[in-house]
Structures are given as structure tokens and as C-alpha cells.
Amino acid sequence: MELGEDNNDEHAQMSIEPIHLQWMGEAMVMAEEALAYSEVPVGCVFVRKHSIIARARNRTNELRNASRHAELEAIDLILADKELTPKSTRYPLEDTVLYVTVEPCIMCASALRQLGIKEVFYGCENDKFGGCGSVLGVNASVKHPVHPSYQATGGYLREEAIMILRRFYVTENTNGMSPPIPKQKSSRVLRTEIPPKSQT
């Protein structure tokens, strides 16, 4: 298995430590906030030296900007803060860990690699746009001549992450910006069964 490839469920279950669940719980708080604002409910926290240094949620509908994913929102906060990023450096996130409710998309996974993120923990897979192995392994398996790879491990509060996404997609999005153009949702039913993580 290459660095960054999805771990199987057994390995993921063995490696889950309470501190990771604590940080992912904080990311879920941000996902709930996103849901309250009619955004695709993805939230994240960045942790450095055992403390949260930034937290964010999706703001794509609010800002009418498809690049305003939770990870990029938080990165902007970190880079703009002189205490968190006192000087310009090639890898400002090299001592920082990301906890995000959904596997980073290809765009975010690439940005994280370019900024030298230390490690990523995520909730559920991103089967359509995942950049940490579900669609493309931008974090590690895609070779890069300069930027180092990083480990990305999924399965942290996975069921909760899936369910909050389902809650969003079975309700009408008043902003009408959830991709793709939403179909009629009045007849949709919230499914509660969670399929096992696919083995790749």
C-alpha cells in the first residue's frame, strides 16, 4: 500500500485514538454550522502543537465562489495571521494536521500538498472528487518533483459525516448552488443505513 492510499476498515479501527475523535468532533461542529447556513456540510479544523489554530466551513453558496471550501477558508486564516505564519516559508503547514469531515477534493488535496501539510484525517470518502485516494491520490500516489507527500487517513466519525451530507441533500437548498443543479427533492427520503467502506 502506498503512502496516502485508503486504509482498510480494520486498520483504521485499530489506529483511531480518542484525540483524533476529539478533533474530528470539532470539525463536525463546523459541518453543522455549514448545514445551518445552507452550505454543503463540510467542516474542518487545523491543529498545531495540540491546539486548534483555525476552524472553517464551506462558504461556496454564501460567497458564490466554488473555491471556498472549508480547507481553503481555514488556510487563508492561517496565512493571514502573523502569529500563526510569522514569516514566508515554502511549507507553512509542515507542523500542522488537518481534520476534515469529508476527504479533501483534488483542488484542496493539491493545495495542502503544496503548503506542506503534515497529515490529514478525514471522515468519509469523497467518491466524486476525492483527492486523497478515492478518485486521485494527489496527496501521495501522484508523483511530484518538489512537494512532499502526506498521509491521509479516513474513517473518523465516518457515519456522522455521511449522515450530515444526506441531511443536506434531502432538503431544498434555497441558494440553489449545490452541485449539480438539484433535482426535485420533495419525494426524497433520508436513508440511514451506512454502506461499508469500499476496499480498493
Side-chain angles (χ1 to χ4, degrees), residues 130-195:
C132 294
S134 290
V135 175
L136 193 63
V138 175
N139 63 307
S141 60
V142 173
K143 305 300 180 193
H144 195 282
V146 177
H147 304 307
S149 62
Y150 61 88
Q151 178 71 39
T153 308
Y156 293 81
L157 300 185
R158 178 176 178 267
E159 293 187 5
E160 292 87 339
I162 290 171
M163 287 307 300
I164 194 172
L165 288 170
R166 288 182 180 176
R167 284 165 54 203
F168 173 79
Y169 285 113
V170 297
T171 59
E172 291 291 346
N173 179 5
T174 57
N175 292 321
M177 291 188 64
S178 60
I181 297 172
K183 298 176 183 176
Q184 180 62 34
K185 298 180 182 180
S186 60
S187 61
R188 292 190 182 179
V189 176
L190 178 62
R191 294 181 296 124
T192 57
E193 71 282 354
I194 304 292

Side-chain angles (χ1 to χ4, degrees), residues 47-164:
V47 175
R48 182 183 293 166
K49 297 179 181 176
H50 312 294
S51 296
I52 294 174
I53 61 168
R55 59 181 76 226
R57 60 172 174 83
N58 274 4
R59 296 179 68 204
T60 58
N61 290 341
E62 176 185 346
L63 300 177
R64 298 189 174 275
N65 182 338
S67 72
R68 294 292 79 200
H69 290 190
E71 300 95 321
L72 299 184
E73 285 284 299
I75 287 169
D76 285 352
L77 296 171
I78 294 168
L79 297 180
D81 189 314
K82 297 296 184 189
E83 290 185 16
L84 297 175
T85 311
K87 60 182 180 179
S88 179
T89 177
R90 173 173 251 179
Y91 297 123
L93 300 179
E94 64 184 346
D95 58 351
T96 308
V97 177
L98 167 65
Y99 293 84
V100 61
T101 57
V102 177
E103 175 188 359
C105 70
I106 293 169
M107 172 182 70
C108 292
S110 178
L112 291 164
R113 186 165 182 175
Q114 292 177 55
L115 294 168
I117 192 76
K118 181 178 179 181
E119 191 168 5
V120 171
F121 295 92
Y122 62 89
C124 65
E125 309 81 20
N126 185 341
D127 293 334
K128 293 184 179 177
F129 308 108
C132 294
S134 290
V135 175
L136 193 63
V138 175
N139 63 307
S141 60
V142 173
K143 305 300 180 193
H144 195 282
V146 177
H147 304 307
S149 62
Y150 61 88
Q151 178 71 39
T153 308
Y156 293 81
L157 300 185
R158 178 176 178 267
E159 293 187 5
E160 292 87 339
I162 290 171
M163 287 307 300
I164 194 172

